[in-house]
C-alpha cells in the first residue's frame, strides 16, 4: 500500500470538505409543488402527511413562506370539482377557472415568484386520463393524441394570459411542445418558458398524488402515453424531440428511481434539466422518518443531493420549503 496517497486528507475538516465539495445543493435549486382547490378551508392530505390542499389565500401564504426561505418557484396542481369535469376538459382553459385565479393572486402578492403551471387534462377529465378518450373498433380504450394537443394549447395559453412564467406539459402527447410554443409565440407570449415532462414514466410512485387530486383513471392505465420504466434510449429520443420542438427545460419524472435517466439526459442536452421527486418518494421518506427509522433532515437532503449530483439543475420536491430552511441552517 502506498500510504503517501491518502484520499482522507481531503475529508479532514469541515472547511476542507466544503472547499473540495463537487456538488452543492441550494434553496435556489428547489421548486415547491402545491395542491389547491376551490374550498375556503385548507385541507391536510391523509395520503401525503405534511402536505395540504390549499385555498387560494392559503396558497398565497404558503408560497410566500417558501419564497422567504429561498425557494424561487412553485408549480400548481388543482383538484377540480367533479361537476366541472368533462370528457374534453373544457374547465382546463376557462379564463376565470381555479388555476388562472391562483396565478393572478400569486403574481399580485409576489411579482418575483416564478409561477409554473401543470398542463394536462387528467385533473379536468371525467375519464381521469391526460388526454381525450374514445373506444377503438375493438372496444379498447384509446387516448387521442392530436385532439388532446389542441386542448393543451388552449390550456397553456390560458395560463400565460393569467401571468404564468412557465407552462409545464405533463401529458406525454406527441408534438405538444412544438404546438404549445407556436400558440404562445403567435399570441405574443414569447417569454413564457416551456418546461416539458420529457421522460415521464408509467410509474407506481404516483399513487399519493392521484389521491390528493382525485385524478386516477376511471378505467385502464397510462401506459400508452407514459414511458415504460425499462427504457432509457426512448428517453433520449424524447430529449432530442423536445429540444428541437422548442422546450426550454427538460424534466425527468420520477427522480430517485431514474437517476440514470437524469444523468443521460444531462449528457445529451445543453438545456436545463429538472427532476421531480414524486409523491411516492416523498411518502416513503416521510413515513420512515415518522417511524423513527430515518433522520428526516439528513435523508431528505441526501436524497436531493443525489438527484442534483445525477445532473438535475432544478428539483421539484414536496420537501422544498423545509429543505431550504435546513440548508440555511447548515450554511
Amino acid at each position: 500500500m502506498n500510504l503517501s496517497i491518502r484520499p482522507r486528507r481531503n475529508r479532514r475538516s469541515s472547511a476542507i470538505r466544503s472547499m473540495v465539495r463537487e456538488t452543492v445543493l441550494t434553496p435556489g435549486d428547489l421548486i415547491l409543488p402545491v395542491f389547491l382547490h376551490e374550498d375556503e378551508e385548507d385541507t391536510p392530505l391523509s395520503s401525503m402527511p405534511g402536505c395540504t390542499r390549499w385555498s387560494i389565500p392559503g396558497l398565497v401564504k404558503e408560497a410566500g413562506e417558501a419564497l422567504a426561505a429561498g425557494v424561487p418557484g412553485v408549480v400548481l396542481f388543482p383538484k377540480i370539482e367533479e361537476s366541472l369535469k368533462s370528457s374534453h376538459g373544457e374547465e382546463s382553459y376557462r379564463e376565470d377557472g381555479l388555476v388562472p385565479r391562483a396565478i393572478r393572486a400569486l403574481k399580485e402578492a409576489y411579482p418575483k415568484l416564478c409561477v409554473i403551471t401543470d398542463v394536462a387534462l387528467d385533473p379536468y377529465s371525467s375519464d381521469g386520463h391526460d388526454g381525450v378518450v374514445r373506444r377503438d373498433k375493438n372496444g379498447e380504450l384509446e387516448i387521442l393524441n392530436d385532439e388532446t394537443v389542441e386542448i393543451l394549447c388552449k390550456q397553456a395559453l390560458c395560463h400565460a394570459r393569467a401571468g404564468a412564467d412557465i407552462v409545464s406539459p405533463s401529458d406525454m402527447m406527441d408534438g405538444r411542445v412544438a404546438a404549445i410554443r407556436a400558440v404562445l409565440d403567435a399570441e405574443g407570449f414569447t417569454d413564457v418558458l416551456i418546461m416539458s415532462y420529457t421522460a415521464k414514466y408509467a410509474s407506481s410512485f404516483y399513487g399519493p398524488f392521484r389521491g390528493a387530486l382525485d385524478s386516477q383513471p376511471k378505467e385502464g392505465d397510462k401506459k400508452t402515453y407514459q414511458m415504460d420504466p425499462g427504457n432509457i434510449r426512448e428517453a433520449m429520443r424524447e430529449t432530442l424531440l423536445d429540444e428541437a420542438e422548442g422546450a426550454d427545460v427538460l424534466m425527468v419524472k420520477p427522480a430517485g428511481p431514474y437517476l440514470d435517466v437524469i444523468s443521460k439526459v444531462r449528457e445529451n442536452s445543453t438545456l436545463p434539466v429538472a427532476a421531480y421527486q414524486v409523491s411516492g418518494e416523498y411518502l416513503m421518506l416521510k413515513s420512515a422518518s415518522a417511524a423513527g427509522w430515518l433522520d428526516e433532515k439528513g435523508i431528505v437532503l441526501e436524497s436531493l443531493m443525489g438527484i442534483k449530483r445525477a445532473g438535475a439543475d432544478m428539483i421539484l420536491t414536496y420537501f422544498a420549503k423545509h429543505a431550504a430552511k435546513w440548508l440555511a441552517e447548515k450554511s
Side-chain angles (χ1 to χ4, degrees), residues 20-302:
V20 302
R21 186 166 294 128
E22 299 169 29
T23 304
V24 178
L25 182 71
T26 73
D29 300 325
L30 308 177
I31 297 169
L32 178 64
V34 285
F35 303 110
L36 63 152
H37 61 183
E38 289 282 8
D39 294 3
E40 296 180 1
E41 300 296 325
D42 302 324
T43 305
L45 294 172
S46 58
S47 66
M48 297 179 64
C51 292
T52 299
R53 194 184 295 130
W54 300 103
S55 63
I56 289 181
L59 171 66
V60 170
K61 181 176 182 293
E62 174 72 358
E65 291 177 1
L67 185 62
V71 177
V74 298
V75 56
L76 309 181
F77 293 100
K79 181 185 183 300
I80 302 302
E81 296 297 325
E82 200 66 33
S83 62
L84 296 175
K85 295 182 180 182
S86 64
S87 61
H88 284 66
E90 288 88 353
E91 181 67 16
S92 68
Y93 52 87
R94 186 163 63 88
E95 298 291 340
D96 61 345
L98 177 59
V99 170
R101 285 187 283 114
I103 296 168
R104 289 191 286 268
L106 288 169
K107 295 304 288 187
E108 181 178 356
Y110 314 110
K112 294 184 179 180
L113 177 72
C114 181
V115 177
I116 306 166
T117 64
D118 179 57
V119 175
L121 293 191
D122 53 330
Y124 306 90
S125 169
S126 52
D127 297 295
H129 277 281
D130 295 53
V132 177
V133 174
R134 77 172 179 191
R135 300 277 178 185
D136 65 18
K137 62 183 180 181
N138 298 316
E140 298 293 327
L141 211 64
E142 182 181 7
I143 310 302
L144 303 181
N145 191 95
D146 297 358
E147 292 85 342
T148 298
V149 170
E150 290 181 15
I151 300 170
L152 298 176
C153 288
K154 295 179 182 179
Q155 185 181 8
L157 185 57
C158 173
H159 294 174
R161 286 171 174 160
D165 299 288
I166 302 176
V167 294
S168 191
S170 63
D171 54 287
M172 291 300 289
M173 298 295 123
D174 294 337
R176 90 275 206 211
V177 171
I180 290 171
R181 183 75 272 160
V183 166
L184 292 177
D185 288 356
E187 294 288 331
F189 295 106
T190 56
D191 290 338
V192 174
L193 284 73
I194 297 176
M195 177 191 290
S196 174
Y197 285 62
T198 295
K200 182 179 181 180
Y201 285 85
S203 171
S204 298
F205 282 87
Y206 303 149
F209 175 94
R210 291 175 183 167
L213 295 186
D214 188 25
S215 62
Q216 58 273 16
K218 300 296 188 290
E219 182 182 350
D221 56 41
K222 301 190 176 188
K223 293 180 180 179
T224 65
Y225 47 100
Q226 294 180 356
M227 285 177 49
D228 189 309
N231 293 357
I232 190 169
R233 294 194 303 272
E234 185 181 4
M236 298 309 98
R237 185 183 188 193
E238 293 283 6
T239 294
L240 296 175
L241 284 169
D242 281 0
E243 191 172 70
E245 289 181 21
D248 299 286
V249 181
L250 308 175
M251 190 194 298
V252 176
K253 180 183 180 182
Y258 296 89
L259 297 178
D260 59 328
V261 181
I262 296 170
S263 179
K264 201 71 173 176
V265 172
R266 171 72 291 147
E267 291 173 6
N268 284 272
S269 179
T270 59
L271 291 177
V273 177
Y276 197 148
Q277 186 181 55
V278 300
S279 59
E281 298 175 76
Y282 170 85
L283 188 57
M284 288 193 302
L285 298 180
K286 197 73 176 176
S287 299
S289 300
W293 298 325
L294 296 173
D295 170 65
E296 183 172 348
K297 174 182 175 181
I299 198 67
V300 167
L301 294 181
E302 183 178 344

